[in-house]
Amino acid sequence: MHHFYPKKIVEAVGRRLEELAARYARIVVVYGDCGTAGALEPILERHKAIGLRGPHCYEMFAGSMEFERLSEEQPATFFLTDWLVRNFERAVLRGLGLDRYPDLKPTYFQHYTHLLYLAQFPTEGLREKALEIAAYLELPLEVRAVGLGELESRLTELVEVAA
């Protein structure tokens, strides 16, 4: 939920690592950079924790090469994941205050031209909810079943390094 405020990611991870550092010899943190502009890295180093390689989950689910291609071809894309589809109302509508200030919607979303749902575990219910989100955002929806993408292999790498 801290993704709209990346500084909170750094603070929350730092607090959690403080709590766990005395109990574990090696800690794996499953966050990409997630908008922290590199601020998470020194926290991980201080606690000798290992972080997940990559900028964010969209790149991990799509795969680095595909995400780069998408970013170049369709730079004004709003991405969804299973989690974000399930939690759109809480994370986006309430999280950005659109439930209280619906007139902010054009300000937040005016520059987006595409909506891409990177489905990890596609279901008809999630697809229908993604269609509702697309209607709300007034954007064309594309759904891609990507599974865990590169996340699984990156997690495997982390576990092997931590061992």
Side-chain angles (χ1 to χ4, degrees):
M1 189 66 179
H2 297 313
H3 284 84
F4 290 120
Y5 309 97
K7 185 177 178 183
K8 290 185 178 184
I9 293 172
V10 176
E11 294 167 356
V13 169
R15 280 192 307 273
R16 190 68 175 141
L17 288 173
E18 289 289 335
E19 295 169 9
L20 297 174
R23 294 174 31 201
Y24 299 97
R26 200 61 135 153
I27 301 172
V28 172
V29 175
V30 186
Y31 264 107
D33 183 67
C34 300
T36 70
L40 191 57
E41 193 62 33
I43 302 297
L44 299 178
E45 289 173 8
R46 182 177 332 132
H47 295 283
K48 296 181 176 65
I50 301 169
L52 196 56
R53 178 177 49 82
H56 43 66
C57 61
Y58 308 124
E59 183 264 355
M60 292 177 208
F61 290 138
S64 59
M65 291 177 61
E66 180 64 7
F67 186 80
E68 184 176 330
R69 187 187 68 74
L70 286 168
S71 297
E72 289 175 11
E73 290 177 8
Q74 299 177 3
T77 299
F78 188 89
F79 290 89
L80 295 172
T81 61
D82 288 0
W83 183 90
L84 195 51
V85 168
R86 284 188 191 97
N87 294 282
F88 189 81
E89 184 176 327
R90 179 174 59 98
V92 176
L93 299 183
R94 291 196 313 256
L96 294 175
L98 292 167
D99 58 332
R100 297 178 311 278
Y101 306 103
D103 52 317
L104 289 175
K105 183 178 103 174
T107 302
Y108 289 143
F109 298 103
Q110 67 184 333
H111 298 292
Y112 289 104
T113 58
H114 298 87
L115 181 63
L116 177 55
Y117 172 26
L118 301 170
Q120 291 83 68
F121 302 99
T123 67
E124 189 55 35
L126 287 174
R127 186 178 183 289
E128 288 175 17
K129 187 137 175 72
L131 285 167
E132 291 172 15
I133 293 167
Y136 171 77
L137 295 176
E138 302 174 53
L139 295 172
L141 174 67
E142 179 183 349
V143 179
R144 291 191 187 184
V146 296
L148 295 176
E150 293 177 6
L151 177 63
E152 186 172 12
S153 61
R154 291 180 194 184
L155 285 172
T156 301
E157 290 171 16
L158 282 181
V159 170
E160 289 172 356
V161 168

